[in-house]
Amino acid sequence: MRRFNNMPNKNFENSEFAEKIVQVNRVSKKTKGGNQFGFSVLVVVGDKKGKVGVGLGKSHDISAAVAKGSAFAKKHLIEVPLRNGTIPHEIQIKLGAARVLLKPAGEGTGVIAGGAVRSVVEAAGIRNILSKVLGTSNQASNVYATIEALKRLNPKLVRKFKRN
């Protein structure tokens, strides 16, 4: 069996990406010699200009897991269509048990979102948005559902804002 080097590529060292650790899980495995502990880290990476990615890194220590997750996220960035600091239209998505609703908001509204959705939206550079997590409380599922919703945004559809 061929072995691969698990350490991430270091060519992202001096980059303009912001990292946000969403979830850290300690996992253990029973072996003949006792318990073997490891960590699973969910990392969101974005440039705050419309590019965002998510990665899951696993290792025996947290720093290596964060590096692996960050490297995976940087290799799998998606482009988010932005219109005046918000998304072009409303979208609701169901991915597994997670249901996420994202709505565009007017200037000055800010980011109204829960923890998992907020980390993805802020990393993407969205300044005004309304969101609601309707399904599970699992942060990893909500992050992946938010990424999928942002992938499915159509930049040609635009919601007009009414001013009272």
Side-chain angles (χ1 to χ4, degrees):
M1 187 172 154
R2 188 172 164 206
R3 296 201 58 151
F4 293 98
N5 184 5
N6 286 335
M7 288 309 293
N9 194 356
K10 296 292 182 187
N11 60 354
F12 296 114
E13 285 297 319
N14 298 325
S15 66
E16 69 280 356
F17 292 104
E19 291 182 6
K20 174 80 172 144
I21 297 173
V22 177
Q23 186 176 16
V24 178
N25 281 340
R26 191 180 86 165
V27 295
S28 64
K29 173 177 146 180
K30 283 279 189 194
T31 61
K32 187 168 72 173
N35 292 337
Q36 189 172 16
F37 292 104
F39 293 94
S40 169
V41 178
L42 187 69
V43 182
V44 174
V45 171
D47 68 350
K48 298 188 186 261
K49 297 176 193 163
K51 288 186 179 177
V52 66
V54 63
L56 184 67
K58 300 176 183 181
S59 181
H60 291 291
D61 62 323
I62 294 178
S63 60
V66 170
K68 288 179 186 180
S70 176
F72 185 87
K74 288 173 185 171
K75 288 178 190 171
H76 297 88
L77 292 172
I78 64 164
E79 188 76 39
V80 179
L82 297 177
R83 293 279 160 96
N84 299 328
T86 189
I87 57 177
H89 58 87
E90 180 178 328
I91 188 165
Q92 183 171 352
I93 193 165
K94 182 172 183 348
L95 185 74
R99 283 178 54 212
V100 175
L101 170 67
L102 301 176
K103 283 185 173 184
E107 191 64 39
T109 304
V111 176
I112 299 175
V117 177
R118 177 180 289 269
S119 61
V120 174
V121 164
E122 286 179 346
I126 300 171
R127 296 186 314 271
N128 302 300
I129 194 167
L130 303 168
S131 75
K132 182 67 182 165
V133 174
L134 300 164
T136 183
S137 59
N138 183 336
Q139 288 186 329
S141 294
N142 291 331
V143 166
Y144 286 121
T146 306
I147 289 284
E148 187 61 33
L150 294 176
K151 271 187 206 173
R152 294 186 186 179
L153 287 174
N154 187 350
K156 294 179 180 153
L157 295 176
V158 180
R159 177 182 159 205
K160 304 269 193 242
F161 293 109
K162 290 185 180 179
R163 299 287 259 177
N164 293 345

